[in-house]
Amino acid sequence: MTRSTTAPKSAHPDVLFVAAEIAPWVKTGGLGDVASALPPALAAAGARIKVLVPAYPAFLDAFPNASLFVSLTALAPRLLPCRVLNAGFIAEDVELLLLDAPLHFARAGNAYSDETGQEWADNAYRYGLLSRVAAWIAEHGNRVGWQPDILHCNDWHTALAPAYLHFLGGRTPSLLTVHNLAFQGLYSAATLAELGLPERAFSFDGVEFHGKLSFLKAGLQCATRISTVSPRYAEEIRTEDFGCGLDDLLSYRGAQLTGILNGIDESVWNPATDPALPRHFDANCLELKADNKYALQAELGLKVGDTPLLAMISRMTLQKGSDLLLTSADAFLSEGAQLVILGTGDKVMEGSMRSLAARYPRRCHATIGYDEGLAHRIEAAADIFLMPSRFEPCGLNQMYSLRYGTLPVVCKTGGLADTVIDWNPKAPHPRANGFVFDQPDAGAFQDTVARALAVYNRHPEIWQNLQHNGMRTDFSWAPSARQYLELYRQLLDPTHR
Ligand code: ADP
């Protein structure tokens, strides 16, 4: 399946793409979706990719015939010996490598935490190992028959890899994509030696962050280039408000920092073909969308009818503005709307969402849990999707919503600001596709939902235009993949580094 070519190496780079989760096998959020859809798009744009992930049980079950790629002895005092398995092609020019270290990864629970939501106590070593093995392959792949030109890391779980390359004398250029700056992987200083990094790495211009070892800072400091998942977020994180203490470093590295908007996987998120939906529809037969609403209302015990349906699917956290929903829900429900909530997260917020739903039987429903099929059905059924995020590196749900004719109400931040264009009747934008408020406060959120409900209730023709604008926007991965390929090209050109 691998194409042979006489084109320059930079047109067809070999890339080791490393991530802590990949949908559909293991997903806790947007990273899993991106790690699933971006590599095939990169391959379609010309790269040859191997994706490295930990061999969680779901992967070993799905790929029982994976063959040995390389066996590695302990690479540092607290790093386990491990095997890397080749699970074969998962898309054209995309192969899957599994990091098999059963004591670390063969567990129930999710990638990062146990079944009660408690983070695994050995995460520093689990993701230290993932980073170390990625750096080993990036540097010594020729010993096992595949030498990557570029190492592409994602988020803190893999961000120590560029530090290994830097401090252990590697030469392979690296890209670190930041999907969320708020998760940093902070561990005690003693971890440094256990993970096999030299003492000199523990410095202001190394991996040290306020007296601790920071995986993310290590990557931001040592990766050849940095990217974020939207252009606006790449700007925001250079400021104190959004920089999570890393804004000075990000400003310093500003010339090597790029924002590339995520796309969506249109083979998974397409209302005309989505197998989770009771009724398929597209922009040319939008009237069929309502059948999805009636079916969901019946499924969740809401009153069936043409009532406007609001929805929110997210981790329940301050980042996502779940508290703003809790403060505002009475106002929405008293305006006659219905509300559907799906998510997990902060235990107090989960309890408050349950109580809210109990107070409004047949008008409000909350599912506390993770349910992929329900997420698809909600996207198709809802009229208005709520994303009052305080910050949002990219956000995928607003793009899924736009694709499904569900108009988003969003706070103007990060990728939300880059993808949603406010409907303002005084100065109508020809490509308006939703409703935007400037500051994450409950008053602005409530006013904006009221504005959206007024258009929904009184101006169906405008509503339909906004739906069409959203549904016809190209959110495919192809344009983003071309931008990543350009970054790869620059990584391989020393004059650009
Ligand atoms: P995050 O910051 O959590 O990564 P994104 O909007 O980028 O936010 O991506 C979240 C992804 O996770 C989307 O695909 C969304 O549908 C999905 N998701 C979040 N919570 C749930 C849930 N409780 N059930 C099903 N899917 C969920």
Side-chain angles (χ1 to χ4, degrees), residues 226-238:
I226 303 163
S227 71
T228 64
V229 288
S230 70
R232 169 104 174 198
Y233 192 59
E235 297 297 325
E236 288 174 343
I237 58 177
R238 296 180 217 195

Side-chain angles (χ1 to χ4, degrees), residues 2-15 42-49 93 146-147 149-150 485 488-489 492:
T2 306
R3 73 174 78 85
S4 69
T5 174
T6 51
K9 192 66 197 170
S10 59
H12 298 291
D14 283 288
V15 180
L42 294 170
R48 288 173 288 227
I49 313 277
D93 280 323
W146 183 71
Q147 178 56 53
D149 301 306
I150 290 165
L485 260 289
Y488 290 164
R489 198 184 61 70
L492 294 175

Side-chain angles (χ1 to χ4, degrees), residues 27 29-30 33 313 315 320 342-343 369-371 375 395-397 400:
K27 167 179 163 181
D33 284 341
I313 304 170
R315 291 183 286 117
K320 298 290 181 182
L342 169 62
Y370 196 94
D371 186 332
L396 294 171
N397 273 315
Y400 300 150

Side-chain angles (χ1 to χ4, degrees), residues 388-453:
S389 305
R390 290 189 166 78
F391 68 94
E392 195 59 79
C394 177
L396 294 171
N397 273 315
Q398 82 281 11
M399 292 192 272
Y400 300 150
S401 301
L402 290 167
R403 191 82 188 78
Y404 281 59
T406 303
L407 298 193
V409 170
V410 306
C411 186
K412 190 172 188 170
T413 185
L416 300 176
D418 285 339
T419 51
V420 182
I421 303 173
D422 186 50
W423 166 250
N424 174 357
K426 293 195 190 112
H429 190 293
R431 286 182 292 109
N433 57 12
F435 301 88
V436 182
F437 55 102
D438 287 336
Q439 289 299 325
D441 66 69
F445 182 34
Q446 288 165 27
D447 290 348
T448 309
V449 171
R451 201 153 60 79
L453 285 170

